[in-house]
Amino acid sequence: MRKILSITALSILLFSCGGKENNQSIDDLIKSKNTKELQAKKALIQADLAKIDDALATLVVAKDEEALVSVATIKDTVFNHYLEIQGNVDTKENILVQPEFSGNLTSLTVKAGQRVSKGQILGRVDDAGMSQQLASLENQYALAKTSFERQKNLWDKKIGSEIQFLQAQTQMVSAQKGVAQMRAQLSKTVIRAPFSGTIDEVFVEKGQIVAPSQLGLMRIVNLSNMYVSTSVPETYIGKLKVGTEVDVFLTSLGKAYKGRVRQVGNYLNPNNRSFGIEVSVPNPENLLRPNQVAKLKIIDYTSKNAIVVPTNVVQEDGEKNKFVFTVANSNGKTGTAKKVLVKIGKSSDNVTEIVSGLSTNEIIVTEGVNSIADGMKLNF
C-alpha cells in the first residue's frame, strides 16, 4: 500500500514540476547533454521525494493496515536509580610482618597457608643475652623488695629513720622499672600475629639473620573484613551516607554481593573533583581477594509508586517530543495504536521513569513500536 502511495506521489510530483513546459525543459536538457543542470534537477526532485516519504511514514496510515505487537499493562512500582562506578577490593588486615629486633631467627613456627590466631607466636629472634640480664634484674628486684618490706615493718613500729624507709622504697621501685623495661625489650624478640588470619607467604628461613625490611618476614591476610574503595564525583556529596546499601558485582567471580557504605571521605580531590568511600562487603565463601576489580551500583534516587516502561519503547518525534504508543479501544487481543506524549525522568536497568503522560492500568506497546503509527490497528 505504501509503495502505491509513493508511486502516486512521484507521478504527482513530476506533473507538478511544470506540466508540458517543465517536461519539455527536461527533454531539452537531456538532448543538450547539460549534465550540470540535470544534476540540479535530480537533486530537487529527490529532496521533494524525501519529504513525501517522511510525511507518508508519519501521517499516512491505511485503515486496513494491521501490525502484530506485544503489549503490557502499566503497574506502579518502586523505581531505583543507581550510580554505577568501579572500585578495588581491599582489606585493612593485609600486612607484611616485620621483626622488631634484629638478629638470628632461632625459631619459625608457621608455614604458608596456615591459619593463625591473634597473638599467636610465629617465630623468635635470638635475644643476644637479654634473658640472662632479665634474670639478674629480677634477682635485684627481689632483694630490693625484701629490704623494703623489712624496712617498712620497722618503720610501722616507729623503729629506724624515715630516710632509711624512703631509700629502700626508691631502690625497690627502680629495680621494678628495670625489670619491666628489660621484659619489654625481650618481648620484641618474639614475633606474634597482629590479628587472626592466614599466612599467605613466608619469605625467610629458620637460622637466617633478620631485620626490618621492605619485604618483611611473612604476609598475613584476613579475608573476613573486606571492603571496596572507590572515588565518587562531588555531585553526590549529601546523597551518600554511612549505611547506604550498595550492590557489589565481581566480574571475575560472576557473583553479586550486598554491601554498605562504611566510610565517606571528608576530603575532595582537587584534581578530579571526587571524594573517597569505602563499602564493606561480606565474604562468607572467602572468594574475595585484595585488588580484585568490583562494579558498584549505589542507589542515589528512589521513587515509590513510580510508573516505569522499557527504555526502548520511548521514542522521539521530529519536534523532540518524547512519546510512547498505548493501546486504545482494546478488545481482547486487538486495539488501535495511540501516540501519547510523555515526560521522562531517570533511566536505570533498561527501564525509564515516566513522570507524566501515563497512568496505571494503561496498556502500552512493548515490542513492534518501530513498525506502527498513530491510528494503526494492532493485534497482540
Side-chain angles (χ1 to χ4, degrees):
M1 185 65 183
R2 291 183 183 273
K3 184 182 291 185
I4 295 172
L5 289 170
S6 297
I7 294 171
T8 303
L10 176 59
S11 301
I12 295 171
L13 175 64
L14 291 173
F15 180 78
S16 65
C17 285
K20 292 181 179 180
E21 291 184 4
N22 201 29
N23 286 337
Q24 183 65 37
S25 176
I26 294 175
D27 291 338
D28 291 342
L29 289 173
I30 294 173
K31 289 179 181 179
S32 67
K33 299 181 180 181
N34 191 335
T35 57
K36 184 176 180 180
E37 290 295 332
L38 284 172
Q39 290 288 348
K41 182 67 71 175
K42 179 182 177 182
L44 179 63
I45 293 172
Q46 287 179 335
D48 289 337
L49 281 174
K51 292 180 181 179
I52 293 173
D53 287 338
D54 289 342
L56 289 173
T58 57
L59 299 176
V60 180
V61 178
K63 295 300 181 183
D64 58 348
E65 198 169 356
E66 297 183 359
L68 180 63
V69 298
S70 296
V71 298
T73 302
I74 296 176
K75 301 292 183 183
D76 57 6
T77 185
V78 176
F79 173 74
N80 292 319
H81 182 266
Y82 299 89
L83 163 66
E84 297 189 23
I85 199 165
Q86 184 172 293
N88 291 321
V89 179
D90 207 346
T91 175
K92 298 291 187 184
E93 297 180 334
N94 172 25
I95 67 168
L96 296 171
V97 178
Q98 299 282 359
E100 294 184 85
F101 193 81
S102 301
N104 186 358
L105 187 64
T106 59
S107 173
L108 183 62
T109 59
V110 294
K111 58 183 179 180
Q114 181 176 333
R115 291 279 302 173
V116 295
S117 302
K118 181 178 180 179
Q120 180 176 330
I121 295 176
L122 309 178
R124 294 177 183 272
V125 177
D126 182 50
D127 60 22
M130 284 193 296
S131 55
Q132 288 81 3
Q133 295 179 45
L134 175 61
S136 176
L137 290 173
E138 286 176 337
N139 289 333
Q140 295 176 27
Y141 169 65
L143 178 61
K145 184 178 180 182
T146 300
S147 299
F148 168 73
E149 290 173 348
R150 290 180 178 178
Q151 193 63 44
K152 184 176 183 301
N153 289 332
L154 292 173
W155 178 248
D156 290 339
K157 296 176 181 179
K158 305 299 181 181
I159 301 174
S161 64
E162 182 180 7
I163 190 64
Q164 291 175 320
F165 168 74
L166 293 176
Q167 285 176 344
Q169 185 182 49
T170 300
Q171 291 174 357
M172 182 193 69
V173 171
S174 178
Q176 187 180 33
K177 288 181 178 180
V179 170
Q181 289 175 356
M182 185 54 65
R183 284 176 177 172
Q185 287 295 318
L186 192 60
S187 68
K188 293 181 179 181
T189 65
V190 181
I191 304 164
R192 298 181 182 272
F195 50 78
S196 298
T198 302
I199 303 299
D200 193 59
E201 296 176 274
V202 178
F203 307 114
V204 294
E205 298 288 343
K206 179 181 177 180
Q208 185 175 335
I209 302 299
V210 296
S213 65
Q214 186 175 359
L215 188 61
L217 303 179
M218 60 194 75
R219 180 183 295 278
I220 180 172
V221 182
N222 183 0
L223 298 179
S224 63
N225 187 21
M226 307 297 289
Y227 67 94
V228 177
S229 60
T230 187
S231 295
V232 179
E234 66 173 320
T235 52
Y236 289 89
I237 292 177
K239 296 181 181 179
L240 294 180
K241 299 179 180 179
V242 173
T244 299
E245 190 174 89
V246 179
D247 292 329
V248 182
F249 183 74
L250 276 298
T251 306
S252 60
L253 301 177
K255 288 181 173 289
Y257 298 83
K258 288 289 185 182
R260 290 189 179 276
V261 176
R262 74 177 192 181
Q263 181 178 333
V264 178
N266 296 313
Y267 171 75
L268 194 66
N269 189 327
N271 296 322
N272 57 13
R273 312 306 303 173
S274 66
F275 60 96
I277 64 169
E278 290 183 2
V279 178
S280 60
V281 185
N283 191 20
E285 301 171 294
N286 282 336
L287 295 177
L288 300 184
R289 296 291 187 274
N291 300 316
Q292 280 179 311
V293 176
K295 292 182 179 179
L296 304 181
K297 292 177 63 177
I298 306 172
I299 297 176
D300 62 353
Y301 168 78
T302 298
S303 177
K304 297 181 179 179
N305 302 320
I307 293 177
V308 298
V309 299
T311 301
N312 65 305
V313 308
V314 180
Q315 301 186 78
E316 185 177 87
D317 60 21
E319 298 179 355
K320 305 297 182 181
N321 295 316
K322 303 292 184 182
F323 70 92
V324 299
F325 283 111
T326 63
V327 179
N329 306 317
S330 176
N331 184 14
K333 294 295 184 178
T334 62
T336 305
K338 180 182 178 182
K339 177 182 176 181
V340 177
L341 299 181
V342 296
K343 182 179 179 181
I344 65 172
K346 297 179 179 293
S347 297
S348 183
D349 288 338
N350 298 319
V351 296
T352 298
E353 180 187 18
I354 302 299
V355 178
S356 64
L358 294 178
S359 58
T360 56
N361 297 322
E362 285 192 82
I363 302 174
I364 63 168
V365 179
T366 57
E367 293 184 18
V369 293
N370 295 322
S371 61
I372 64 176
D374 193 28
M376 182 180 290
K377 294 180 181 179
L378 303 177
N379 290 318
F380 46 85

